[in-house]
Amino acid sequence: MMEFPVRVITIAGSAAGGSAGIQADLKTFEELDAYGMSIITAIVGRHPETNKNVHLQSIEAIEAQFATAMKQVGADGVKTGMLFSKEVIEVVARLIQEKEIKTIVVDPVMIGKMNSKLLKADAIEALIHQLIPMATIITPNVPEASILLGGRELNTVDDLKQAAVDLHQLGAKNVLVKGGRLKGPAVDVLYDGTALTTFTAPRINTVNTSGAGCTYSAAITANLTKGQAVADAVGKAKSFVTTAIEHGFSYTDIVGPTYHAASRKFGEAHSIKIETLT
């Protein structure tokens, strides 16, 4: 009898260029043998005349998408990405809680790759108080961790370690602070409430990293939903995204995407150095 793949939902923005948001998530889910569904919170695409870049979906549309996915398929795990507003965060938190989905990955998308603002100021409190406490793991990058900590500067790996410990107090079971914007090797820090674990990969010399954070958190979601322990899920996800970054590309002079099929196509995966500190 066929064993069906785990069911995972991404609740995030739709990136018209295909490199980030739900597009990156769904590509990642497929590569990792998870059945992916999407709830679009906003459509991201810059209008050539008005210059408007974020086109929000209504609360009704978000509720309708979620209800349809749950009725037709159901969900074993969920990840959230760009939610943008207080109202969207509130409804997403309610919907997830009502269905008692066990694996919840919160990527607190606030700052885009080109430092674009992707979360309204009044939504940060809703994120902190309503969504983060539900999370199995949160995955902020350096700017996002800084915002969640009230603007604290994070410049070193030791800063990331302390940030992970402090962010754990917000209620998530696990905190992964991603150090991709620091200098030197790409070091991320995981804190589970007891131990700190670092994940180190070589820094890839490329600008084509659009969607890397989405891809990373989506891979963690798929791995966790399949029953992997948190540190294992993070380590394998980091290997996956590092390989995808190494083979990133661009069709134009605009920053291009990571290559989600890289591990499969090239038959390789980056080795990640993992150290647990007590």
Side-chain angles (χ1 to χ4, degrees):
M1 183 177 178
M2 177 180 174
E3 183 177 345
F4 296 137
V6 295
R7 305 161 297 176
V8 285
I9 293 179
T10 169
I11 306 177
S14 171
S19 62
I22 65 161
Q23 284 82 356
D25 294 343
L26 292 174
K27 291 170 187 175
T28 302
F29 294 156
E30 188 71 15
E31 290 295 328
L32 297 178
D33 193 30
Y35 182 82
M37 297 160 282
S38 61
I39 313 301
I40 299 172
T41 58
I43 297 169
V44 180
R46 191 171 299 280
H47 193 281
E49 296 177 3
T50 66
N51 211 35
K52 184 178 179 181
N53 191 39
V54 178
H55 308 268
L56 292 178
Q57 297 295 288
S58 67
I59 296 299
E60 181 183 16
I62 292 169
E63 291 174 331
Q65 292 173 86
F66 187 86
T68 300
M70 294 303 296
K71 182 177 181 179
Q72 293 184 356
V73 181
D76 303 303
V78 62
K79 72 149 283 192
T80 65
M82 189 185 79
L83 303 179
F84 195 70
S85 72
K86 174 178 179 288
E87 292 75 19
V88 171
I89 290 172
E90 289 174 343
V91 73
V92 167
R94 173 176 59 79
L95 292 172
I96 293 173
Q97 194 168 40
E98 285 176 354
K99 294 300 181 181
E100 298 182 347
I101 300 173
K102 293 182 179 179
T103 299
I104 304 169
V105 176
V106 175
D107 188 4
V109 176
M110 301 177 182
I111 305 294
K113 189 66 64 180
M114 307 307 292
N115 293 319
S116 54
K117 189 174 181 181
L118 300 176
L119 187 68
K120 287 185 175 181
D122 68 350
I124 295 175
E125 286 299 310
L127 181 73
I128 290 173
H129 295 294
Q130 297 191 46
L131 197 56
I132 287 178
M134 299 167 55
T136 306
I137 185 170
I138 61 172
T139 63
N141 60 26
V142 165
E144 291 157 354
S146 176
I147 291 171
L148 290 171
L149 291 168
R152 182 194 306 176
E153 288 192 11
L154 305 174
N155 300 311
T156 68
V157 174
D158 283 341
D159 290 343
L160 300 188
K161 292 175 183 176
Q162 189 59 54
V165 171
D166 293 342
L167 287 171
H168 190 265
Q169 297 177 24
L170 298 181
K173 294 181 179 68
N174 300 273
V175 175
L176 179 71
V177 181
K178 302 174 295 186
R181 301 198 185 199
L182 301 185
K183 295 180 179 180
V187 182
D188 306 325
V189 178
L190 173 70
Y191 184 61
D192 63 3
T194 301
L196 285 161
T197 303
T198 59
F199 302 81
T200 305
R203 184 169 299 279
I204 308 300
N205 185 22
T206 179
V207 298
N208 296 320
T209 58
S210 180
C214 304
T215 299
Y216 195 177
S217 58
I220 291 170
T221 306
N223 292 341
L224 286 175
T225 305
K226 289 192 286 187
Q228 296 176 17
V230 175
D232 290 338
V234 171
K236 290 177 180 178
K238 187 169 178 67
S239 176
F240 178 87
V241 74
T242 303
T243 305
I245 290 171
E246 181 179 27
H247 295 281
F249 59 92
S250 180
Y251 292 106
T252 65
D253 59 357
I254 295 172
V255 170
T258 60
Y259 188 25
H260 298 87
S263 293
R264 169 173 52 84
K265 183 171 182 178
F266 300 108
E268 63 184 34
H270 266 282
S271 177
I272 305 299
K273 182 181 179 182
I274 303 174
E275 294 182 291
T276 299
L277 313 171
T278 57

